[in-house]
Amino acid sequence: MAATARAIQQFTELSEEECDARIRAAKAALGERLVILGHHYQREEVYRHADYTGDSLKLSRMAASSNAEFIVFCGVHFMAEVADILSRPEQVSILPDLAAGCSMADMANLAKVERAWRELSEVLDPDEQVTPVTYINSAADLKAFCGRHGGIVCTSTNARHVLEWSFARRGKVLFFPDQHLGRNTGYRMGIPLDQMVVWDFNQPLGGLTVEQIRTAKMILWKGFCSVHQMFKPQHIDQFLARFPDAKVISHPECSFEVCEKSDYVGSTEYIINTVTESASGTRWLVGTELNLVQRLHERHQHQGKSVHFMSPTVCMCSTMFRVDPQHLLWTLENLVQGNVVNRIRVPEHEAREARLALERMFEVL
Ligand code: 13P
Ligand code: SF4
């Protein structure tokens, strides 16, 4: 790790122009052996080099269908893991900075989920009555857990269809790690709030009573996204007081109150498409990560659209931000020289079960 830091140090002194030119040269040298996938939250200096951009669902499909030898994922750790799980063994998945994790994904781990499953089995038979559903923002071993317990993965795009699939099989869902995506989706499907309980993973029996568990339809893990929790309903109220005709659009990782006050709720790709397809002159308030919102603003201001960020404070995904042009360049120039750096590898026994849960998701949508 210290050697890696020293190696990257030399790149940090490069000017943006030089970095940009060398990334282009390395891409040209690698040709079709390389594909760069870029999540919509990436900073512009990285995003512009992506061969494909998208939300988590679109990028996981890209990874599964790519023939490139090297899949360089400009995103966060769980995304590069999914690329490794879905690609062929001879393909290599790479994350330019290994510290680019997802703080929400880290709020659930296998030990805690297995403990929850054991504790639930004191009240009911989870393998008969509960479908485990993991948001794609989770470690590979949690996807594997879902694979072996008849569960499934979802993304912000397909959460509703995945929940319908789940309820068609078992009466209850254990949803992790994001309580908000679970609650927002469940509520829009008609599940009352009092039938969605929060599992506090630091408390025995999730801090719930036996009765609460018996009557719940959804058991929501007490996880959240540190970026999306910054958006508050009062930000929407204050904005609409100034611009009553504005439209509000939010990511489903935002709180229930924010989503209820929004005109539209959906994935990053959905947000981009909705704003892009709107009439010129429309004013938008957007509740998702800053880099995406800034890009939307820049791309659409010439059409007279104005795109505003929902929070008065700057909230970026600091882990996504770790993937900078310097790390991307370092990764690519190593590949040109025949060195694979920062490979993300999921052990095969784990990948097999995780693939099951991902394939169930692809069958749904
Ligand atoms: P999307 O799948 O909507 O891109 O969301 C990923 C994510 O991490 C949002 O915080
Ligand atoms: Fe994770 Fe939130 Fe960053 Fe998305 S925005 S990758 S959920 S920390």
Side-chain angles (χ1 to χ4, degrees), residues 5 72 164 182 188 219 254 350:
V72 172
E164 283 164 358
R188 278 157 197 248
I219 302 167
C254 292
E350 208 167 280

Side-chain angles (χ1 to χ4, degrees), residues 223-290:
F224 60 88
C225 166
S226 48
V227 177
H228 289 86
Q229 69 155 357
M230 303 291 281
F231 305 116
K232 305 287 180 204
Q234 57 268 32
H235 298 150
I236 300 178
D237 294 339
Q238 285 156 7
F239 192 80
L240 290 180
R242 283 171 60 210
F243 305 108
D245 294 335
K247 297 281 173 219
V248 182
I249 188 163
S250 303
H251 195 278
E253 288 173 15
C254 292
S255 70
F256 177 72
E257 294 74 18
V258 165
C259 289
E260 281 305 288
K261 279 186 182 278
S262 300
D263 299 296
Y264 305 91
V265 175
S267 80
T268 54
E269 184 85 5
Y270 171 85
I271 292 173
I272 291 169
N273 292 341
T274 307
V275 173
T276 303
E277 285 158 19
S278 66
S280 62
T282 315
R283 187 182 295 276
W284 288 97
L285 183 67
V286 185
T288 199
E289 204 268 351
L290 184 62

Side-chain angles (χ1 to χ4, degrees), residues 39 41 76 78-79 101-105 135 137 224-228 253 289 317-320:
H39 187 264
Y41 292 163
V76 287
F78 74 81
M79 298 178 182
C102 163
S103 55
M104 174 211 281
Y135 188 21
N137 296 39
F224 60 88
C225 166
S226 48
V227 177
H228 289 86
E253 288 173 15
E289 204 268 351
C317 178
S318 55
T319 46
M320 284 269 181

Side-chain angles (χ1 to χ4, degrees), residues 152-205:
I152 186 165
V153 177
C154 77
T155 75
S156 57
T157 297
N158 58 22
R160 184 185 181 118
H161 294 282
V162 166
L163 285 181
E164 283 164 358
W165 179 96
S166 306
F167 287 123
R169 278 153 187 81
R170 299 175 190 169
K172 295 180 196 293
V173 159
L174 172 64
F175 191 94
F176 45 88
D178 185 24
Q179 58 173 300
H180 299 295
L181 176 64
R183 186 181 295 107
N184 288 324
T185 312
Y187 188 75
R188 278 157 197 248
M189 290 168 67
I191 302 174
L193 287 178
D194 60 5
Q195 287 182 29
M196 295 189 274
V197 293
V198 176
W199 183 273
D200 181 345
F201 45 83
N202 288 320
Q203 304 234 24
L205 212 58

Side-chain angles (χ1 to χ4, degrees), residues 249-360:
I249 188 163
S250 303
H251 195 278
E253 288 173 15
C254 292
S255 70
F256 177 72
E257 294 74 18
V258 165
C259 289
E260 281 305 288
K261 279 186 182 278
S262 300
D263 299 296
Y264 305 91
V265 175
S267 80
T268 54
E269 184 85 5
Y270 171 85
I271 292 173
I272 291 169
N273 292 341
T274 307
V275 173
T276 303
E277 285 158 19
S278 66
S280 62
T282 315
R283 187 182 295 276
W284 288 97
L285 183 67
V286 185
T288 199
E289 204 268 351
L290 184 62
N291 281 290
L292 186 159
V293 181
Q294 264 171 349
R295 192 176 302 118
L296 274 177
H297 167 71
E298 277 153 28
R299 295 204 172 157
H300 295 291
Q301 59 182 346
H302 72 279
Q303 298 164 327
K305 289 181 207 174
S306 54
V307 181
H308 303 252
F309 187 58
M310 193 178 282
S311 171
T313 44
V314 172
C315 27
M316 282 191 308
C317 178
S318 55
T319 46
M320 284 269 181
F321 200 68
R322 298 194 78 108
V323 177
D324 57 15
Q326 287 76 12
H327 281 81
L328 178 59
L329 176 60
W330 170 73
T331 305
L332 298 184
E333 289 193 345
N334 265 288
L335 290 178
V336 172
Q337 287 157 17
N339 306 322
V340 172
V341 290
N342 287 8
R343 179 169 188 181
I344 302 298
R345 247 180 164 149
V346 177
E348 185 42 38
H349 68 278
E350 208 167 280
R352 201 177 322 115
E353 290 180 327
R355 213 174 287 125
L356 262 180
L358 283 160
E359 281 164 1
R360 287 180 192 136

